[in-house]
Amino acid sequence: GAGVSQSPSNKVTEKGKDVELRCDPISGHTALYWYRQSLGQGLEFLIYFQGNSAPDKSGLPSDRFSAERTGGSVSTLTIQRTQQEDSAVYLCASSLRDAAGSNQPQHFGDGTRLSIL
Amino acid sequence: KNQVEQSPQSLIILEGKNCTLQCNYTVSPFSNLRWYKQDTGRGPVSLTIMTFSENTKSNGRYTATLDADTKQSSLHITASQLSDSASYICVVSAGDYGQNFVFGPGTRLSVLP
């Protein structure tokens, strides 16, 4: 299908290791969002990319978290020196254009379930 | 502080019955309100999007209502099916640009045969 694709679907790693999570948005979607969802909690905003504009990084919880979006398409979220509190599901979403003020839906991937041992 | 609350936290109903989920928000400025369905282990899927001027919107057996004066929304599910078992998330857009989405904690619905 032509939905948002995230990889890996599951990742288990040891505390202190670095991890990279990948998101392939729907082709043509200019807006891309990363969220974190902890068990039983609402989605927590991490970072937002819109076209060629500077990303909104205001949701990143610490400087161990970073993200980039190459060529306006694929995005990678990197977590350095992972901690146990980083364990969560990381969700990526894309929309045709900025969704907040429009009727454009966000299309979500199925997420990467990250477990830090 | 912008906030979205949902009730109940969880709900169990029998197949074929109707149910209504509630969403209260304190978000300003308001742009639109969305309902998403999230199956276990999957990403959320959009059900409805309503702007300030819309009072109701339907998507099959799902009907959402919005009262912008009282800042309340509801999601009504008619003739529930087993496949309706999921979390239902209310999301309010706080402004007209960017990542200004405020997510509710969700209501976990279980439909039993």
Side-chain angles (χ1 to χ4, degrees), chain A residues 9-60:
Chain A
S9 55
N10 287 282
K11 177 72 175 179
V12 180
T13 192
E14 294 179 345
K15 175 182 171 181
K17 300 290 188 182
D18 298 350
V19 295
E20 265 193 11
L21 312 180
R22 176 186 170 105
C23 173
D24 280 275
I26 294 173
S27 178
H29 281 196
T30 61
L32 187 147
Y33 312 75
W34 281 98
Y35 296 95
R36 180 167 68 176
Q37 187 175 35
S38 301
L39 190 63
Q41 302 295 314
L43 272 70
E44 174 190 3
F45 165 74
L46 296 177
I47 188 168
Y48 166 65
F49 296 90
Q50 169 56 29
N52 295 322
S53 301
D56 180 348
K57 305 180 181 180
S58 61
L60 295 178

Side-chain angles (χ1 to χ4, degrees), chain B residues 6-61:
Chain B
Q6 293 187 242
S7 62
Q9 185 176 20
S10 61
L11 181 63
I12 300 174
I13 62 173
L14 295 177
E15 186 178 13
K17 299 296 185 182
N18 304 334
C19 68
T20 300
L21 313 181
Q22 300 292 340
C23 172
N24 297 332
Y25 61 93
T26 53
V27 176
S28 181
F30 174 90
S31 181
N32 53 70
L33 185 145
R34 300 151 184 251
W35 283 93
Y36 285 85
K37 177 187 179 187
Q38 185 175 23
D39 293 320
T40 301
R42 305 297 298 275
V45 174
S46 179
L47 294 176
T48 62
I49 301 173
M50 289 184 291
T51 60
F52 184 89
S53 60
E54 295 176 294
N55 301 118
T56 185
K57 182 162 282 189
S58 292
N59 178 356
R61 295 180 295 103

Side-chain angles (χ1 to χ4, degrees), chain A residues 91-114:
Chain A
L91 290 164
C92 174
S94 71
S95 59
L96 186 59
R97 56 180 182 274
D98 185 84
S102 72
N103 286 342
Q104 292 296 318
Q106 290 179 298
H107 298 266
F108 284 84
D110 287 335
T112 293
R113 184 174 300 276
L114 178 64

Side-chain angles (χ1 to χ4, degrees), chain B residues 1-5 24-28 71 92 102:
Chain B
K1 178 183 177 182
N2 287 334
Q3 200 165 357
V4 175
E5 299 178 339
N24 297 332
Y25 61 93
T26 53
V27 176
S28 181
K71 298 187 177 182
V92 180
V102 185

Side-chain angles (χ1 to χ4, degrees), chain B residues 32-102:
Chain B
N32 53 70
L33 185 145
R34 300 151 184 251
W35 283 93
Y36 285 85
K37 177 187 179 187
Q38 185 175 23
D39 293 320
T40 301
R42 305 297 298 275
V45 174
S46 179
L47 294 176
T48 62
I49 301 173
M50 289 184 291
T51 60
F52 184 89
S53 60
E54 295 176 294
N55 301 118
T56 185
K57 182 162 282 189
S58 292
N59 178 356
R61 295 180 295 103
Y62 300 101
T63 299
T65 64
L66 173 63
D67 186 333
D69 292 331
T70 63
K71 298 187 177 182
Q72 295 180 325
S73 176
S74 65
L75 180 69
H76 186 75
I77 304 175
T78 303
S80 61
Q81 300 177 358
L82 298 179
S83 59
D84 292 332
S85 295
S87 288
Y88 291 84
I89 304 171
C90 177
V91 186
V92 180
S93 174
D96 58 4
Y97 179 78
Q99 55 75 28
N100 292 307
F101 294 105
V102 185

